[in-house]
Amino acid sequence: MTLTTAFLGLGAMGTPMAAHLTRHAQATDGRSLVWNRTAARAEAHAQTYGSELATPDSLAEADVLFSCLPTSADLDEVLAALPALKRGAVWVDCTSGHPDAAPRQAAALAERGVAFLDAPVSGGTGGAVSGQLTVMVGGAEADLERVRPLLDAFAGRVIRVGNTGAGFAVKAINNALLAVTLWATGEGLAVLGRSGVKLGAALEVINASSGRSNASQNLIPARVLTREFPATFGLGLLAKDAGIALDMVNSTHSSAPMLAQTAALMRAAANIVGSDVDHTAALRLIEQMNKVVIE
Amino acid sequence: MTLTTAFLGLGAMGTPMAAHLTRHAQATDGRSLVWNRTAARAEAHAQTYGSELATPDSLAEADVLFSCLPTSADLDEVLAALPALKRGAVWVDCTSGHPDAAPRQAAALAERGVAFLDAPVSGGTGGAVSGQLTVMVGGAEADLERVRPLLDAFAGRVIRVGNTGAGFAVKAINNALLAVTLWATGEGLAVLGRSGVKLGAALEVINASSGRSNASQNLIPARVLTREFPATFGLGLLAKDAGIALDMVNSTHSSAPMLAQTAALMRAAANIVGSDVDHTAALRLIEQMNKVVIE
Amino acid sequence: MTLTTAFLGLGAMGTPMAAHLTRHAQATDGRSLVWNRTAARAEAHAQTYGSELATPDSLAEADVLFSCLPTSADLDEVLAALPALKRGAVWVDCTSGHPDAAPRQAAALAERGVAFLDAPVSGGTGGAVSGQLTVMVGGAEADLERVRPLLDAFAGRVIRVGNTGAGFAVKAINNALLAVTLWATGEGLAVLGRSGVKLGAALEVINASSGRSNASQNLIPARVLTREFPATFGLGLLAKDAGIALDMVNSTHSSAPMLAQTAALMRAAANIVGSDVDHTAALRLIEQMNKVVIE
Amino acid sequence: MTLTTAFLGLGAMGTPMAAHLTRHAQATDGRSLVWNRTAARAEAHAQTYGSELATPDSLAEADVLFSCLPTSADLDEVLAALPALKRGAVWVDCTSGHPDAAPRQAAALAERGVAFLDAPVSGGTGGAVSGQLTVMVGGAEADLERVRPLLDAFAGRVIRVGNTGAGFAVKAINNALLAVTLWATGEGLAVLGRSGVKLGAALEVINASSGRSNASQNLIPARVLTREFPATFGLGLLAKDAGIALDMVNSTHSSAPMLAQTAALMRAAANIVGSDVDHTAALRLIEQMNKVVIE
C-alpha cells in the first residue's frame, strides 16, 4: 500500500522531522508532502530532501497529516483554512499545544472523518536531526498504532500517556519543569556567586550530586557559563509553555505554588530580557535581580 | 609515616565512611579511631571493622579528624567538649553544615593550631558504602592536599569549591535544588494526575525529556510511585538544608524567590507530614493540597 | 411608569438585596419578582418582604433582571433554561463572575434584545442588609444609567470600571487582594507567635501602622484571634475568586507571582481545611504549617 | 527633677522626634542633647529648635538616650564608640532594627548599668512631625514606664509588645506586610491595566471593598497613579526590613511562603529600580515585568 503523508510547519523542529518522513516515503514507495506558511521554506525542503509541495488537491489524498506549529492557535487557523481531507485519515499534531485545544480540534476533525492525536515531541533540534525524538501521545490507542511506523521515522521513543489532550498536558508540565530547574539552578548559582564560590566547580559538584537536572548538566554549563546563550528554543515559547501548565493547574483546580511562580518569573523574563532570545537567557533577569554575573 | 585518623559521628553516612578510613589505615599501618555520642555504635564499628575506640588521649594524637554530624550546632558542642588536639592536625567536617559556622569553627581550631576544612559529601548511603562519594571542599588548598589521600578512601571525586565555608555553601544550594526538583516534579504529577494522565508514562516521558532531574529519574519512580518512601534522608534534614540556603540568600542580600518558596514549603511539609519520614514524603503534602495520590 | 424587576438567586447576599428592590417597588408602584433554585427561599422572601414569586410569564415582563449566583456557570444554566425575555430589558449580574464569561453572556442576551451589565458587589452581608454595598459595573454607560436608580436601592456606591467583564475583573482582583492580605497577615502573626510576641498587641500596632489592611483590621481580630471563624464567606468561594484572578493573569499574559502563589495557597487551604468553613479559616493551614496557634 | 535626654540620629524621622523632646525639655526644665554622624545636622537642629550639641561629657549625664539610625549595625558602631554612660540610664532605640541584635545590645548596655528598650516607630515623617507616631516597645515593663512620658512627646500610641527584641520583630513584620500589600496591589492593577480596566476607578472600588489596605488607600493613589513617587521611605530600607522579617522566619523555623517571596521581590526591585527611590517605586519593576504603566 502506498502511503501519502503531509507535514505542515517546517520550523527548526519540523524541517528535520519532515525530512525523516520523506526518507521513509522514498524507502517505502510513499509520498511525502510538505507545506509551510512561508512557501520558500517548503520549496527549499522539496529541493533539499525530495519532498513534494502540498496542494489542496494532494492534501486531500494524505493518509496521515502531521503539524508542528508554534501554538494551538496556529493549528486552529490551519484547520479553518483547509479545503478537504480524506475520510479515515489521521491528523498527528506535534505542536507543543494546549490541552484545552485538543478535544475541540479532535471534534472538528472527527466531523470530517479524521482522527486526531496530540503528539508533541521532546529532544530538541539535535534529537530531530538524529531521529531520536521522544513522542508523547494523547488519543486512541488504535489510531496511534496506525501511525506508529511513521512516528518511528523520527522518534527514539513513542509513549502513549492518555486520552486526547494528555500529550499536550505532559509536554506542558515537562517544559514547566525545565523552566523550574533552569531558573532555580540560576538562583542557586547567583547566591553562590555572591558568596565568592567558584561557579564552575560548584556546578561540577551539583552535577555529581542530588540537585542535578538536565538544566544543570546540559544547559547552564554550555549556554550560560560560556555567556553564549545560543538561540535555539526561544524564551517566549518557554514562557508560553509555563503558562499552559498554569492554565492546567487552574482548570483542574490544583494547588501548585512552584509551577505558578515559575510561570510568573518566565513571563517577567520574556518581557524584560526578550522573547526571541534563547530560553536560558532567562537567567539574565536573575543576574539583574542580584547584580551578579553567572560565569 | 604512620598516620592516625579519627572519625566522629557514626550515622548512616559516617559508619561506612569511617570503615573506608579503617581499611585505609589497615593497608598503610595507620590507626583509625572512631567516636560516637551513643557509644554502642562506636563499639559495633570497632568490632565489625577493626577500628579503635577513641579516647581523650588518643584523640590528642590524631593527625586528621573527621566529623559527620547532623548540624553545625552539633560540631560546636563536640569542639567545646574536646580536651586536647595535636598542633598541626587537620579537621575535616563532612557535616552538611552552615556556611556561617565555618569561619567561626575554623578560627576556634586555628587557636589550637588545627586547620579546618568544610567538606560535606553527596552520594547518599549507597555512595558512602561504595566509596564513591563526591566531596565539596572549602578551605586552603594546601590543607586539602594534606588530606586528599584520606578523602580518596571514601570519595569518587574531591572538588575544592572555594575558601572556608564554600563547601557548606555548595552543599546547601545542592540540597535546596534537590528540594526544588522533588517538589516541583511532585506538583507536576499532581496536576497530571488530576487531568487523568497516567503518571508512570508521564514520568517516563519527562525522564527522556528536558524537564528531567535526579528527583524525577531516581527518587520519585522508586520511592513515591511505589508508595514505599523508604526513610534514608529525613525530611527534617532537607528542610534544614533548604533553610541554610535561605540564610545564605538573606545574608548575601540575594533575591531568590524560588529557593525562598522551597524553604517555606519544605518546612511546612516537615511540620505537617513529619520530620523523620523520608524526604520524598514531602510529596504527601502536595497530595493533601490537591486531594490526589501520586501513584 | 411602572417598573418590573426580577431577582434570581436568594442567597446570603441576594436575599437582602432583593428585599431592598421590593421596598423600592412598593414605594414606586412597581413589581418585584423573586426566584430561587430552591423554591422555598423564594416563598419565604415573598411572605417576609411582600415580593412576588416569579413565573415564566412574569419574567417575560421584567424590565430589569438581577442575578446573584455562586458562579458564572450557574448563570449559564439559568440563561439556558429561560423561556422568554422582554426586548429592551437589562440583565444585571451581581455574581462574582468570571471576566471570560461576561462577553459570552452579553452576546447571548443581545441576541434576545437584552442588555447585560456585570455588576458584582462588595460589602458583605452587613452591607447588603444596610443597603450600602459597593457595586462595580462593567458594560455600556447608557445601560448603567437606566438601572442606576435600582442599584441605588441596595448600594452606597456605584462605580463603572470599564466595558463588559470589567466589573467581574475588578471583583476578582479585589478578592485576590483580600486573600493576599489575609494570608500574609496570618503568616506574620505565626512568625511573631513563634517569637513569643503577644499577638493582640502586635495586631494593635500593625493596625496603627503601614502594614494594616481590611484583613488585619476587621477580619483577623474578630474572627481568628477569637477562634470563632464565623462562616459568612466560604473559603471555597475565596479560592475560586483567587483562581479567577489567576485565570486573568494567564489570559492577559501577565506576570503576577504573588497573586499566583496566593491562588495556590487558597486552593491548598480549601482542600486541607475545607471549602465550607469561613474564608478566615485559611489561617488554620498556616497554623498547621507552623505548629502554632494564632490567638 | 531635671531630666537630660540625648537623641542620636537626626534623619528624616529623628529630626522631628528630637524636636518634640527638645520642646518637652524646654517645658520641664530639662536638657535635650542631640548628636548626628554628620555634625552639620546637629548644629542645624540646635539652631532651629534650641537643642544642645551632645559631647562625650554631656552624654555621660544623659538619663535617657534615644537612637534612630538606619540599621542595627549602625547602633553597634555608635555603642562601640561611646566613652561613658550614666549608670541607671535607659537607652531607647527607635531604629527599625534586627530582633537578633536587641539581646546582644541589651546585654552590652546592661554591663554598663544601662537598660535597653527596642522601640521602633511607625507613622512616617508626617506622624513624626505631628507627634502622633506609634511606638512598639520590646523590653521590661518597668523600664518602659520610666520613659513613657518622653515617648508621649512624639507618640500618639505606645504599645508594649513583648520582651527585648519584640519591638523590632513587630516592626519588621509590619513593614513586610507593607511590602506585601504594596506589591500585590501593584500586581492586581497591572493585570487590570492589561485587561483595559480604568485603574483609578478600580482602586476606588478596592478601597471601598475587602481588598483594601494602607498601601491601596494611601500610597498607590497619591504616589504611583500620580507618577510622582516622592522619595520619603527608601526602597532599599523596605527591602532591608523585608529581609529582617525573612531572617525571623528562618531563625524561628517558620514557614511563610508569602513573606519569603516578598523579601525576594523587594530585593530584586531595589537592585533593578534602585535603593534610594521611594519604596512605592517597587511597582516600576512590576511595570517592566508586565509591559504596562500603572496610571
Side-chain angles (χ1 to χ4, degrees):
Chain A
M1 183 194 78
T2 308
L3 209 59
T4 299
T5 66
F7 201 102
L8 295 82
L10 300 169
M13 296 295 290
T15 296
M17 289 164 72
H20 283 293
L21 289 170
T22 302
R23 278 189 286 274
H24 183 268
Q26 288 159 350
T28 57
D29 252 349
R31 291 172 69 191
S32 170
L33 314 175
V34 294
W35 176 90
N36 195 63
R37 190 179 309 221
T38 310
R41 288 200 163 205
E43 287 157 18
H45 199 276
Q47 286 187 341
T48 307
Y49 301 105
S51 51
E52 188 180 335
L53 292 182
T55 63
D57 283 356
S58 64
L59 279 175
E61 293 163 15
D63 301 291
V64 183
L65 302 103
F66 292 84
S67 48
C68 192
L69 302 164
T71 70
S72 284
D74 295 295
L75 180 58
D76 285 335
E77 277 184 40
V78 165
L79 290 179
L82 277 181
L85 294 176
K86 182 174 183 173
R87 293 195 73 82
V90 182
W91 191 292
V92 181
D93 183 32
C94 299
T95 301
S96 292
H98 199 300
D100 289 352
R104 185 182 70 227
Q105 294 166 336
L109 286 164
E111 285 183 14
R112 304 165 79 165
V114 174
F116 178 84
L117 296 171
D118 48 301
V121 299
S122 74
T125 51
V129 168
S130 66
Q132 291 297 316
L133 293 170
T134 297
V135 190
M136 50 210 90
V137 183
E141 192 137 22
D143 294 326
L144 169 57
E145 290 317 312
R146 289 166 60 197
V147 301
R148 191 184 281 272
L150 296 168
L151 294 175
D152 287 342
F154 55 71
R157 300 181 86 169
V158 177
I159 303 172
R160 181 172 173 269
V161 290
N163 296 326
T164 301
F168 290 158
V170 172
K171 175 70 178 176
I173 293 297
N174 176 74
N175 281 17
L177 292 176
L178 164 60
V180 167
T181 50
L182 184 62
W183 184 276
T185 308
E187 282 188 5
L189 293 176
V191 175
L192 288 172
R194 291 179 64 94
S195 306
V197 173
K198 298 184 289 179
L199 297 191
L203 208 48
E204 194 184 344
V205 166
I206 290 167
N207 286 336
S209 302
S210 54
R212 72 183 180 275
S213 62
N214 172 59
S216 74
Q217 293 175 295
N218 299 317
L219 296 175
I220 295 179
R223 299 182 177 217
V224 180
L225 292 198
T226 60
R227 312 306 294 164
E228 291 182 1
F229 304 101
T232 58
F233 177 43
L235 178 50
L237 288 175
L238 184 57
K240 177 211 72 170
D241 291 342
I244 292 177
L246 189 52
D247 271 345
M248 290 172 55
V249 168
N250 237 9
S251 67
T252 58
H253 303 298
S254 301
S255 172
M258 209 173 284
L259 299 186
Q261 191 181 44
T262 301
L265 294 169
M266 285 295 133
R267 177 60 58 197
N271 277 338
I272 291 180
V273 182
S275 275
D276 295 331
V277 298
D278 191 59
H279 62 302
T280 56
L283 273 61
R284 287 192 189 277
L285 178 55
I286 295 177
E287 295 181 331
Q288 288 184 41
M289 290 163 65
N290 286 285
K291 291 191 171 171
V292 77
V293 179
I294 299 172
E295 65 184 354
Chain B
M1 185 197 77
T2 310
L3 210 59
T4 300
T5 66
F7 202 103
L8 295 82
L10 301 170
M13 296 296 289
T15 297
M17 289 165 73
H20 284 292
L21 288 170
T22 302
R23 279 189 285 273
H24 182 267
Q26 288 159 351
T28 59
D29 252 349
R31 291 173 70 191
S32 170
L33 313 175
V34 294
W35 175 89
N36 195 64
R37 192 180 307 223
T38 310
R41 287 200 163 205
E43 287 157 18
H45 199 276
Q47 287 188 340
T48 307
Y49 302 106
S51 51
E52 190 179 331
L53 292 182
T55 64
D57 283 355
S58 64
L59 280 176
E61 293 164 15
D63 301 290
V64 183
L65 301 104
F66 293 84
S67 49
C68 193
L69 303 165
T71 70
S72 283
D74 295 295
L75 179 58
D76 284 335
E77 276 184 41
V78 164
L79 291 178
L82 277 181
L85 294 177
K86 183 174 184 175
R87 293 195 74 81
V90 183
W91 192 291
V92 182
D93 183 31
C94 299
T95 301
S96 291
H98 199 298
D100 290 351
R104 185 181 71 226
Q105 294 166 339
L109 285 164
E111 284 183 16
R112 304 165 79 162
V114 175
F116 178 84
L117 296 170
D118 48 299
V121 299
S122 73
T125 50
V129 169
S130 66
Q132 291 298 317
L133 292 171
T134 296
V135 189
M136 50 210 90
V137 182
E141 191 136 21
D143 294 328
L144 169 56
E145 291 315 312
R146 289 166 60 199
V147 302
R148 191 184 282 271
L150 296 169
L151 294 175
D152 287 341
F154 54 72
R157 303 181 84 170
V158 176
I159 303 172
R160 182 173 172 269
V161 290
N163 296 326
T164 302
F168 290 158
V170 173
K171 176 69 179 177
I173 294 296
N174 176 76
N175 281 17
L177 292 176
L178 164 61
V180 166
T181 49
L182 185 62
W183 184 276
T185 308
E187 282 187 6
L189 292 176
V191 175
L192 289 173
R194 291 179 63 92
S195 306
V197 172
K198 297 185 289 179
L199 297 191
L203 208 49
E204 194 184 344
V205 167
I206 290 166
N207 286 336
S209 303
S210 55
R212 71 182 180 276
S213 62
N214 172 59
S216 74
Q217 293 174 293
N218 298 316
L219 296 175
I220 296 178
R223 298 182 179 217
V224 180
L225 291 198
T226 61
R227 313 305 293 164
E228 289 182 2
F229 304 100
T232 59
F233 177 42
L235 178 50
L237 287 175
L238 184 56
K240 178 211 71 171
D241 290 342
I244 292 176
L246 189 52
D247 271 344
M248 290 172 55
V249 168
N250 237 10
S251 66
T252 58
H253 303 297
S254 302
S255 172
M258 210 174 284
L259 299 186
Q261 189 182 47
T262 302
L265 294 169
M266 285 296 133
R267 178 59 57 196
N271 277 337
I272 292 180
V273 182
S275 277
D276 296 331
V277 296
D278 191 58
H279 62 302
T280 56
L283 273 62
R284 287 192 187 277
L285 178 54
I286 296 177
E287 296 181 331
Q288 287 184 43
M289 290 163 65
N290 286 284
K291 290 190 172 172
V292 76
V293 179
I294 299 172
E295 64 184 355
Chain C
M1 184 194 79
T2 308
L3 210 60
T4 300
T5 66
F7 202 103
L8 295 81
L10 300 171
M13 295 295 290
T15 296
M17 289 165 73
H20 283 293
L21 288 170
T22 302
R23 277 189 286 272
H24 182 268
Q26 288 159 350
T28 58
D29 252 349
R31 291 172 69 191
S32 170
L33 314 174
V34 293
W35 176 90
N36 195 65
R37 191 178 309 222
T38 311
R41 286 200 165 207
E43 287 157 17
H45 199 277
Q47 286 188 338
T48 307
Y49 301 107
S51 51
E52 190 180 332
L53 292 182
T55 63
D57 283 355
S58 63
L59 280 176
E61 293 163 15
D63 301 290
V64 183
L65 301 103
F66 293 84
S67 49
C68 193
L69 303 165
T71 70
S72 283
D74 295 295
L75 179 58
D76 284 336
E77 276 185 40
V78 164
L79 290 179
L82 276 181
L85 294 176
K86 182 174 184 174
R87 293 193 74 81
V90 182
W91 192 292
V92 181
D93 183 32
C94 299
T95 301
S96 291
H98 199 299
D100 289 353
R104 185 181 70 227
Q105 294 166 339
L109 285 164
E111 285 183 14
R112 305 165 79 164
V114 175
F116 178 83
L117 296 170
D118 50 300
V121 299
S122 74
T125 50
V129 168
S130 65
Q132 291 298 316
L133 293 171
T134 296
V135 189
M136 50 210 91
V137 182
E141 191 137 21
D143 294 327
L144 169 58
E145 291 316 313
R146 289 167 59 199
V147 302
R148 191 183 282 272
L150 296 169
L151 294 175
D152 287 341
F154 55 70
R157 303 181 83 169
V158 177
I159 303 172
R160 181 171 172 269
V161 290
N163 296 326
T164 301
F168 290 158
V170 172
K171 175 70 179 177
I173 293 296
N174 176 76
N175 281 17
L177 292 175
L178 164 61
V180 167
T181 49
L182 185 62
W183 184 275
T185 308
E187 282 188 4
L189 293 176
V191 176
L192 289 173
R194 290 179 64 92
S195 305
V197 172
K198 297 184 290 178
L199 297 190
L203 208 48
E204 194 184 344
V205 167
I206 290 166
N207 286 337
S209 303
S210 55
R212 72 182 179 275
S213 63
N214 172 60
S216 74
Q217 292 175 294
N218 298 316
L219 296 175
I220 296 179
R223 298 182 178 216
V224 180
L225 291 198
T226 59
R227 312 306 294 162
E228 289 182 3
F229 304 100
T232 58
F233 177 43
L235 178 50
L237 287 175
L238 184 57
K240 177 211 71 171
D241 290 342
I244 292 177
L246 189 51
D247 271 345
M248 290 172 56
V249 168
N250 237 11
S251 65
T252 59
H253 302 298
S254 302
S255 172
M258 209 174 284
L259 298 186
Q261 191 181 44
T262 302
L265 294 169
M266 284 296 133
R267 177 60 57 197
N271 277 338
I272 292 179
V273 183
S275 277
D276 296 331
V277 297
D278 191 58
H279 61 303
T280 56
L283 273 62
R284 287 192 187 276
L285 177 54
I286 297 178
E287 296 181 330
Q288 287 185 43
M289 290 163 66
N290 286 285
K291 290 190 172 172
V292 76
V293 178
I294 299 171
E295 65 184 354
Chain D
M1 185 195 76
T2 310
L3 210 59
T4 299
T5 66
F7 201 103
L8 295 82
L10 300 170
M13 295 296 289
T15 296
M17 290 164 72
H20 284 293
L21 289 170
T22 302
R23 279 190 284 274
H24 182 268
Q26 289 160 350
T28 58
D29 252 349
R31 291 172 70 190
S32 170
L33 313 175
V34 294
W35 176 90
N36 195 64
R37 191 178 309 219
T38 310
R41 287 200 163 206
E43 287 158 17
H45 198 276
Q47 285 188 340
T48 307
Y49 302 106
S51 51
E52 189 179 334
L53 293 181
T55 64
D57 282 356
S58 64
L59 280 176
E61 293 164 13
D63 301 291
V64 183
L65 301 103
F66 293 84
S67 48
C68 192
L69 302 165
T71 70
S72 283
D74 296 295
L75 180 58
D76 285 336
E77 277 184 39
V78 165
L79 290 179
L82 276 181
L85 293 176
K86 183 174 182 174
R87 293 195 74 83
V90 182
W91 193 292
V92 181
D93 184 32
C94 300
T95 301
S96 291
H98 199 299
D100 289 352
R104 186 181 70 227
Q105 295 166 337
L109 285 164
E111 285 183 13
R112 304 164 80 164
V114 174
F116 178 84
L117 295 171
D118 49 300
V121 299
S122 73
T125 51
V129 169
S130 65
Q132 290 298 319
L133 293 171
T134 296
V135 190
M136 50 211 89
V137 183
E141 191 136 22
D143 294 326
L144 168 57
E145 290 316 313
R146 289 166 60 198
V147 302
R148 190 183 282 272
L150 295 168
L151 294 175
D152 288 341
F154 55 71
R157 302 181 85 170
V158 177
I159 302 172
R160 182 172 172 269
V161 290
N163 295 326
T164 301
F168 290 159
V170 172
K171 176 71 178 174
I173 293 297
N174 176 76
N175 281 17
L177 292 176
L178 164 61
V180 166
T181 49
L182 185 62
W183 184 275
T185 308
E187 282 188 6
L189 293 175
V191 176
L192 288 173
R194 290 179 64 92
S195 305
V197 172
K198 298 185 289 180
L199 297 191
L203 208 48
E204 194 185 343
V205 166
I206 290 167
N207 286 337
S209 302
S210 54
R212 72 182 179 274
S213 62
N214 172 59
S216 73
Q217 293 174 293
N218 298 316
L219 296 175
I220 295 179
R223 299 182 177 216
V224 181
L225 291 198
T226 60
R227 312 306 294 165
E228 291 183 1
F229 304 100
T232 58
F233 177 44
L235 178 50
L237 287 175
L238 184 57
K240 178 212 72 172
D241 290 342
I244 292 177
L246 188 51
D247 271 344
M248 289 172 56
V249 167
N250 237 9
S251 66
T252 58
H253 303 299
S254 301
S255 172
M258 209 173 284
L259 298 186
Q261 189 182 45
T262 301
L265 294 168
M266 285 295 132
R267 177 59 59 197
N271 277 337
I272 291 180
V273 183
S275 276
D276 296 331
V277 298
D278 190 59
H279 62 301
T280 55
L283 273 61
R284 287 192 187 276
L285 178 54
I286 295 177
E287 295 181 332
Q288 288 184 44
M289 290 162 65
N290 286 285
K291 291 192 171 173
V292 76
V293 179
I294 299 171
E295 64 186 354

